Amino acid sequence: MNPGSGAAPGAVLLEVDGLHSFYGKSHILHGVSLVIGRGEVVGLLGRNGVGKSTTLKAIMGLVQPSEGQIAFEAQPIIGLPAHRRARLGIGYVPEERRIFRFLTVTENLRTGLDRHGVSKQRKKALLEKIYEFFPVLVERRNQAGGTLSGGEQQMLAIARAMMLEPKIILLDEPTEGLMPRMVGQIREIISVLQAENVAVLLVEQNVPLTLEAASRIYLLEKGMVRHHATVAELRADHSIIQQYMGV
Amino acid sequence: MAISLQQILIQTVNGVVTGMILALVASGLTLIFGIMDIVNFAHGELFMLGAYVGVLTLAAAGSFWLALLSAMVAIALLGALIYVTTLRPLLGRDPLTTILATFGLSLILQNYALWQFGPVARKIAEPISGHFTLFYLDYPWYRVVIALIAGAMIFALWMFLKFGTWGIWIRATTQDRVMAQAMGIPVPLVLATVFAIGSGMAGASGVLFGPLTAVDHAMGLDWILKVFIVVVVGGMGNLAGSIVAAIFISLLEAYASLWVSPAQAVIVSFVVLILTLLFRPTGLFATATR
């Protein structure tokens, strides 16, 4: 199986090759490889505990893999600390959302916005654009992040990552614990990201949403990519998803 | 013995003045604890070394204010150096290792001061020698000025944390270090800067308080104990709580010394500490957010 199939050559944004990772003594990732093109939405599916979140953390630099390579825009980033990777254009929306609870909504956004080399006008424009996408955050902008509802916190977590003007966003189970109405909103946000030419690596338990949003899917089992297919292929053969997700 | 209202008012002024200095030292300590979970046992020695930098600068340049500034800068740099060489390598290990490391550091710095400056206490002359009449007392203006300067420095710290990019970075790092990194905040730099700021505040406090006491290698010891009481009573890592606790405890001690000797008045602080640990272990002022 060639994990690179699907992304056109030259348009590769992120390439992960043979990632191994340990948590204490347990071997979590057994050589994960995947490729994401510019502006592409890619799904990462699998049962609980197969290493989906760990893969995202390793890409972000929050987990140090023991082996393997990660290249972002053809540059190796494996030795870079997480904050340098973020500045390169990797946005991260963790599973638990991890809003800065005692910071206001605006301050949460400013953690990603206040960077060197961004002019005042551009910051203002970016903030206005985000508030346009997430009108609920405007009303809440001077409220502490911890007082927001779960859905609002998820919006804030995504908006916060977008402040980095990332080239890719790593989305870890964005619909987890949200009301069905909010799931539709998450779907819309992913479309917005796609329209902005931001690639998304989407980790989800929600299979229908993933099939709708993504163009290609990697199926993880026991810390390895066991299957890689386009969404069209998976739609044609439901047994594959059933095999790896147990649904 | 009857206690007059005048005595009570005088002790109130004394308590607030000592409380402000205590708050200045404690805010540095609690800031460092709040953001990186390091209990810095060498904080009192940074206070002491700040006083010595003040003594040396005063002798060389003759300006108290220059001495204050240079102590702040020199001890801030020393703090950054200590952090990078001694504490950063221990980050993420058992908290006991940083306690032992800073305790060892405090012994090294104390004995360095003894070796370098000798056992004879130095003096820092008051920059303002005027007095005003407080009831039956000639009260030195300088004490009032100290309280104002300490208050201004704490206010500046608060403004720095509340507004501006660095303030947001520091608060974000305090709340979630991992997520702060993922948002592109240069966390290692933020941590070193916070350690430097806390250290610089201790250094400046040493110079400010120098004229009221003798500058010697052990002067940090008297302070650090009281500062730790303040930080625990105020809630570890809670900046506003530490400031309120500093003034609260200083006032209590000042009032207590109306009846007993000042040395015995310290007992009041310990009583407050023990009661806090028993009944409000997260601090008397735990509701305040940081």
Side-chain angles (χ1 to χ4, degrees):
Chain A
M1 183 201 72
N2 171 18
S5 65
V12 171
L13 178 67
L14 178 77
E15 187 167 5
V16 174
D17 189 22
L19 227 46
H20 284 260
S21 166
F22 289 83
Y23 184 78
K25 280 194 171 167
S26 55
H27 200 165
I28 307 289
L29 301 184
H30 295 253
V32 169
S33 299
L34 47 87
V35 170
I36 295 157
R38 288 186 187 278
E40 196 185 16
V41 179
V42 172
L44 194 55
L45 292 174
R47 291 193 182 90
N48 275 329
V50 296
K52 304 186 299 286
S53 292
T54 306
T55 303
L56 295 194
K57 282 178 187 159
I59 294 170
M60 194 65 234
L62 304 175
V63 161
Q64 288 311 317
S66 55
E67 223 183 284
Q69 282 304 319
I70 303 172
F72 186 68
E73 299 194 295
Q75 298 296 318
I77 58 168
I78 202 90
L80 291 184
H83 66 93
R84 297 271 305 276
R85 298 189 196 192
R87 295 283 172 95
L88 284 178
I90 304 179
Y92 178 53
V93 181
E95 196 177 353
E96 324 81 49
R97 300 176 191 118
R98 297 179 88 149
I99 294 301
F100 301 114
R101 301 177 52 79
F102 299 122
L103 261 56
T104 66
V105 167
T106 308
E107 286 171 343
N108 263 284
L109 296 175
R110 281 183 61 191
T111 57
L113 187 63
D114 289 357
R115 290 165 278 143
H116 287 298
V118 184
S119 69
K120 269 203 165 119
Q121 290 93 327
R122 208 159 112 227
K123 283 182 188 173
K124 197 160 167 266
L126 199 56
L127 209 52
E128 272 168 16
K129 190 171 83 178
I130 291 297
Y131 279 141
E132 209 176 294
F133 289 152
F134 304 95
V136 65
L137 296 181
V138 184
E139 301 158 30
R140 302 264 186 271
R141 88 189 127 188
N142 293 320
Q143 228 170 289
T147 63
L148 267 54
S149 73
E152 288 165 353
Q153 285 194 10
Q154 188 64 61
M155 301 290 165
L156 179 55
I158 297 172
R160 184 177 62 175
M162 288 173 78
M163 285 291 142
L164 290 163
E165 295 181 279
K167 292 164 184 141
I168 184 168
I169 288 188
L170 313 172
L171 263 182
D172 200 348
E173 303 213 11
T175 65
E176 194 197 23
L178 295 190
M179 293 182 296
R181 184 171 55 84
M182 298 299 297
V183 175
Q185 283 204 34
I186 297 289
R187 170 76 193 87
E188 271 171 44
I189 291 165
I190 295 172
S191 307
V192 168
L193 290 173
Q194 206 169 14
E196 298 270 307
N197 204 30
V198 179
V200 176
L201 181 52
L202 175 66
V203 162
E204 258 302 342
Q205 298 283 344
N206 185 329
V207 176
L209 172 84
T210 312
L211 291 181
E212 215 182 295
S215 57
R216 287 184 300 125
I217 308 272
Y218 289 94
L219 286 149
L220 240 62
E221 193 179 61
K222 290 181 187 156
M224 284 172 89
V225 172
R226 289 301 171 108
H227 201 91
H228 168 226
T230 64
V231 165
E233 286 163 356
L234 291 174
R235 282 192 196 283
D237 184 356
H238 278 288
S239 66
I240 300 169
I241 291 257
Q242 270 164 18
Q243 183 188 340
Y244 293 102
M245 297 293 289
V247 288
Chain B
M1 183 179 83
I3 298 209
S4 68
L5 180 66
Q6 293 182 351
Q7 280 175 303
I8 292 176
L9 287 174
I10 286 170
Q11 285 306 80
T12 307
V13 176
N14 276 334
V16 169
V17 168
T18 325
M20 290 308 285
I21 293 272
L22 204 54
L24 191 61
V25 187
S27 53
L29 190 69
T30 206
L31 184 71
I32 289 170
F33 177 81
I35 192 166
M36 44 193 134
D37 291 334
I38 289 174
V39 178
N40 182 15
F41 276 94
H43 206 70
E45 277 57 50
L46 296 172
F47 173 84
M48 176 268 295
L49 286 176
Y52 270 116
V53 172
V55 167
L56 296 179
T57 317
L58 197 57
S63 161
F64 177 86
W65 308 110
L66 190 66
L68 181 63
L69 189 71
S70 57
M72 188 154 64
V73 172
I75 303 302
L77 291 176
L78 177 67
L81 186 72
I82 288 174
Y83 174 72
V84 170
T85 56
T86 313
L87 295 168
R88 183 184 284 172
L90 299 176
L91 219 65
R93 300 241 195 115
D94 192 308
L96 185 64
T97 58
T98 56
I99 290 177
L100 290 174
T102 57
F103 187 67
L105 207 59
S106 87
L107 294 177
I108 292 170
L109 294 178
Q110 254 179 62
N111 286 290
Y112 166 77
L114 182 61
W115 170 63
Q116 183 72 32
F117 304 110
V120 181
R122 312 285 180 100
K123 273 304 262 188
I124 295 180
E126 289 180 14
I128 297 160
S129 52
H131 289 64
F132 66 98
T133 309
L134 186 66
F135 306 113
Y136 52 86
L137 266 188
D138 256 356
Y139 203 85
W141 270 116
Y142 179 65
R143 283 180 166 257
V144 179
V145 170
I146 295 184
L148 292 177
I149 294 175
M153 287 177 71
I154 293 168
F155 182 69
L157 174 70
W158 186 80
M159 293 291 280
F160 175 75
L161 290 177
K162 186 79 195 158
F163 302 104
T165 302
W166 272 89
I168 290 175
W169 284 0
I170 289 171
R171 283 182 291 143
T173 306
T174 309
Q175 287 167 36
D176 190 334
R177 201 184 296 167
V178 171
M179 196 58 222
Q181 274 179 301
M183 285 310 297
I185 296 173
V187 169
L189 185 62
V190 169
L191 296 180
T193 305
V194 166
F195 208 89
I197 291 173
S199 304
M201 291 176 79
S205 316
V207 179
L208 274 180
F209 199 70
L212 305 186
T213 182
V215 176
D216 65 17
H217 66 281
M219 74 184 283
L221 287 175
D222 302 338
W223 274 86
I224 200 65
L225 196 60
K226 233 180 248 187
V227 167
F228 270 115
I229 295 176
V230 159
V231 168
V232 171
V233 169
M236 295 291 284
N238 180 341
L239 193 59
S242 291
I243 292 159
V244 178
I247 293 173
F248 175 63
I249 284 188
S250 300
L251 279 175
L252 277 184
E253 275 194 26
Y255 294 140
S257 56
L258 285 171
W259 284 275
V260 296
S261 79
Q264 289 171 322
V266 181
I267 294 170
V268 177
S269 306
F270 287 104
V271 171
V272 173
L273 173 70
I274 290 167
L275 290 177
T276 306
L277 287 175
L278 280 178
F279 298 108
R280 293 289 299 268
T282 52
L284 277 187
F285 314 100
T287 45
T289 56
R290 61 191 190 202

